[in-house]
Amino acid sequence: MTTPSLGTTVLGQRLLRLYRLSHEQAITGFQDAALDLLFLHTRRRQGVDELSERERVVAELVATGQNHKEIARTLQRSPSTVRNQIRSVYSKRQVGNVASLVHALNAAQ
């Protein structure tokens, strides 16, 4: 009998181990795994989750004290694109200045 390929994720490895256990042990293990999945599904979204990858990078650079022109040079983008991304980050994080953004980013970690 061959075992199903579940990948290399922690949950996949756990399910594979359960596949090899007795029926009673497997039921208990699958219930635990289901609870883990429920936790993953119901985790509260944080503001950082809403940011795109590019917005996250821009937010981190803003937090280091760089202005939009310096960030644009660093990321090889136009200054207006970076300025729009900063506005988007401020809006999504519901902040109005760099200090509040830094506080919000630190709180999300």
Side-chain angles (χ1 to χ4, degrees), residues 8 15 26 28 45 48 52 88 93-95 97:
T8 59
L15 291 173
T28 303
R45 288 183 58 106
V48 176
S52 71
S88 177
R93 295 298 294 143
Q94 299 177 348
V95 296
N97 57 44

Side-chain angles (χ1 to χ4, degrees), residues 1-69:
M1 180 187 324
T2 61
T3 57
S5 174
L6 294 172
T8 59
T9 64
V10 173
L11 185 58
Q13 291 171 357
R14 189 171 175 189
L15 291 173
L16 190 58
R17 279 194 306 272
L18 294 173
Y19 177 80
R20 295 177 181 145
L21 296 175
S22 72
H23 180 69
E24 187 175 309
Q25 291 171 323
I27 289 174
T28 303
F30 278 116
Q31 289 171 343
D32 291 343
L35 288 174
D36 289 346
L37 287 175
L38 181 64
F39 171 76
L40 290 174
H41 179 69
T42 59
R43 181 181 66 85
R44 269 190 108 172
R45 288 183 58 106
Q46 297 176 349
V48 176
D49 294 334
E50 298 171 1
L51 299 180
S52 71
E53 183 62 33
R54 289 184 175 199
E55 289 171 338
R56 243 179 261 135
V57 170
V58 168
E60 289 170 5
L61 292 173
V62 167
T64 65
Q66 295 185 34
N67 64 36
H68 73 282
K69 291 180 183 179

Side-chain angles (χ1 to χ4, degrees), residues 54-99:
R54 289 184 175 199
E55 289 171 338
R56 243 179 261 135
V57 170
V58 168
E60 289 170 5
L61 292 173
V62 167
T64 65
Q66 295 185 34
N67 64 36
H68 73 282
K69 291 180 183 179
E70 293 168 335
I71 295 170
R73 246 183 269 116
T74 301
L75 300 178
Q76 298 179 346
R77 296 185 198 146
S78 84
S80 61
T81 298
V82 172
R83 192 171 49 244
N84 288 334
Q85 288 173 330
I86 293 171
R87 279 191 201 126
S88 177
V89 168
Y90 279 13
S91 174
K92 288 180 180 181
R93 295 298 294 143
Q94 299 177 348
V95 296
N97 57 44
V98 176

